[in-house]
Amino acid sequence: MLRCTSCGNTYPEKFMLRCKCGAPLNLIRHYSGKFKDFLRTQFLDIRRYLPLLGGDLQFYPQIVPPLTPVVEKKIHNIITLFKLEYLMPSGSFKDRGTYITIAKLKEDKIKEVVLDSSGNAAISLALYGLSEGMKVHIFIPKHTSKGKKRILKILKAIVHEVDGDRMETHIKAEEFKGGVYVSHWYNPYFLEGIKSFAYEFFEEAGEIDYAIIPTGSGTMLLGAYKGFEELYKFGEIKTTPRLIAVQAEGYESLLPMGKRKNRLAEGIAIPYPPRKEEIIEAIEKSGGMAISVSEEETMNAWKKLISMGFLVESTSATVFAAFEKLISKDYFEKGSRILIPLTGSGLKNLGEMMEIIMGGKTI
Ligand SMILES: [Zn+2]
């Protein structure tokens, strides 16, 4: 069932974004038994976890998100575990949420959808939607990178450019009447798909002390937290990892808003996320914290990640910038094990990357 995060009203599992009171909804499911008993071990992709993600097998999309690798590196006596989410079919972790969302939309016979996005969620929905014969309307801010816009056109999405920021784009998309609005900021099925990130990481790398998560709308943080909480309830982990939410300077929702804008973090430039209260609760319950990173810190971290062989987009570098900032403050205990997800591919906006890195251009 779906339950309202504010008033507690419940609804049957149909595709819907908000409660009548306007607040976001969450899927509530209870599992008993052992985690391993739920796994479909014949699969080495997201289908491994489907009994925990819900839905009807016949509706799952043809494109299947794979298991993404984990790369371990020892940095200043800390064990860092980079999870390469940018190797997903559409180049970002959003494919996990899209996969479950599309299955639900198909089950409910919805064929025309509307989404607003800074790029990655849009590309993911357009890719999966195209292969399933859906009509996909995408609202993006005009300043979205050219590379991402080109991919959306290749994927036959109907692109609506909004001359405004990320929040204005969200309002325009919600007002549009040409299809069912599927905002991943609200969509409870999207979060349910992201849960698989935590299951998968646990199977690959075991327990960790911290997870450093890029946090704009909070989909990755909330989805991962839900997955880790379930692993805790199954008795698989002793405690949920402490969540460190990374925000972009000038767009903070969890910290006082910085005066300068971090323009290298378009993916998390979301100052008013609808699930803010849930994000705060997850961070507090896990014993974590929020941290903001500047454009300069993001740029330096991005260059380092590329030199380490991780061809990610600049938003993804915010987590490594936060890691370095916290290392310099001796925040982590020696020997800590830290999950650092690398969420989006750098190949989508290679042109902009070249201009910034090779040409010395500042955006
Ligand atoms: Zn409600």
Side-chain angles (χ1 to χ4, degrees):
M1 74 176 167
L2 293 163
R3 188 164 70 201
C4 175
T5 54
S6 175
C7 73
N9 248 349
T10 60
Y11 302 87
E13 286 191 21
K14 287 280 166 199
F15 187 85
M16 58 187 289
L17 291 187
R18 299 171 184 242
C19 174
K20 278 179 195 151
C21 79
L25 298 161
N26 275 331
L27 275 158
I28 306 294
R29 291 175 179 144
H30 299 285
Y31 312 106
S32 56
K34 288 183 177 161
F35 174 63
K36 286 189 174 60
D37 295 339
F38 284 92
L39 303 183
R40 298 168 80 217
T41 51
Q42 70 269 39
F43 294 114
L44 285 171
D45 52 49
I46 199 169
R47 291 174 295 177
R48 192 174 175 82
Y49 308 110
L50 286 186
L52 294 163
L53 305 177
D56 192 329
L57 272 183
Q58 62 177 309
F59 299 115
Y60 281 104
Q62 301 165 53
I63 305 173
V64 181
L67 304 183
T68 62
V70 173
V71 176
E72 182 176 327
K73 285 184 187 291
K74 198 169 181 186
I75 304 174
H76 302 296
N77 285 320
I78 303 288
I79 310 293
T80 55
L81 298 144
F82 293 92
K83 186 154 172 63
L84 312 191
E85 290 289 283
Y86 65 96
L87 298 180
M88 283 283 177
S90 83
S92 87
F93 77 100
K94 308 273 187 184
D95 285 10
R96 297 178 184 278
T98 302
Y99 186 73
I100 302 300
T101 300
I102 294 268
K104 191 67 197 166
L105 293 170
K106 280 172 72 182
E107 188 180 342
D108 288 3
K109 300 186 171 49
I110 296 167
K111 291 183 177 149
E112 188 162 1
V113 292
V114 186
L115 179 72
D116 54 296
S117 165
S118 61
N120 283 331
I123 292 169
S124 182
L125 184 71
L127 178 78
Y128 285 76
L130 179 66
S131 78
E132 300 299 326
M134 296 177 98
K135 202 167 181 183
V136 178
H137 294 269
I138 298 293
F139 284 70
I140 49 170
K142 213 171 186 174
H143 59 75
T144 301
S145 64
K146 280 186 207 131
K148 287 182 178 174
K149 284 183 194 169
R150 276 190 216 120
I151 296 171
L152 285 171
K153 287 194 175 128
I154 289 167
L155 296 173
K156 297 184 179 163
I158 302 153
V159 177
H160 306 253
E161 288 188 30
V162 177
D163 195 6
D165 64 15
R166 187 66 191 80
M167 298 309 297
E168 286 163 299
T169 309
H170 164 62
I171 293 165
K172 292 278 181 210
E174 196 162 23
E175 285 170 355
F176 183 69
K177 301 291 177 216
V180 174
Y181 186 46
V182 298
S183 168
H184 55 294
W185 293 3
Y186 286 95
N187 178 0
Y189 297 92
F190 195 89
L191 283 187
E192 206 64 7
I194 304 293
K195 269 184 3 184
S196 62
F197 168 80
Y199 302 154
E200 192 178 302
F201 178 78
F202 166 69
E203 283 209 284
E204 290 167 324
E207 293 206 46
I208 40 158
D209 303 298
Y210 298 90
I212 307 181
I213 313 266
T215 306
S217 64
T219 50
M220 172 157 251
L221 185 134
L222 292 172
Y225 182 67
K226 200 171 181 193
F228 283 123
E229 239 192 345
E230 287 172 9
L231 287 166
Y232 172 72
K233 284 179 188 158
F234 275 122
E236 294 287 340
I237 55 176
K238 286 191 232 53
T239 174
T240 52
R242 294 163 77 172
L243 300 178
I244 296 172
V246 183
Q247 304 217 287
E249 186 177 11
Y251 299 98
E252 297 94 334
S253 62
L254 308 168
L255 297 161
M257 202 175 281
K259 288 197 178 75
R260 292 179 309 167
K261 299 245 182 263
N262 181 349
R263 294 161 300 172
L264 288 176
E266 64 179 9
I268 54 171
I270 303 163
Y272 309 105
R275 291 185 183 268
K276 180 178 166 179
E277 297 312 313
E278 288 173 80
I279 297 171
I280 292 170
E281 194 186 330
I283 295 168
E284 283 178 357
K285 271 187 169 175
S286 78
M289 62 172 286
I291 183 170
S292 175
V293 294
S294 68
E295 187 167 294
E296 193 186 2
E297 288 162 341
T298 305
M299 172 69 88
N300 291 336
W302 189 24
K303 287 179 178 171
K304 280 185 192 167
L305 284 174
I306 290 170
S307 71
M308 288 158 79
F310 301 127
L311 196 51
V312 294
E313 66 175 319
S314 53
T315 299
S316 303
T318 55
V319 287
F320 195 58
F323 170 75
E324 293 209 302
K325 209 168 174 174
L326 291 169
I327 282 273
S328 73
K329 292 177 182 168
D330 276 331
Y331 179 79
F332 303 112
E333 306 81 25
K334 194 179 163 188
S336 291
R337 289 168 57 78
I338 304 179
L339 162 59
I340 303 181
L342 297 177
T343 47
S345 171
L347 296 177
K348 292 178 190 173
N349 52 355
L350 209 53
E352 284 86 347
M353 279 173 71
M354 289 292 285
E355 281 177 24
I356 296 164
I357 290 182
M358 306 302 287
K361 181 190 164 188
T362 52
I363 62 166

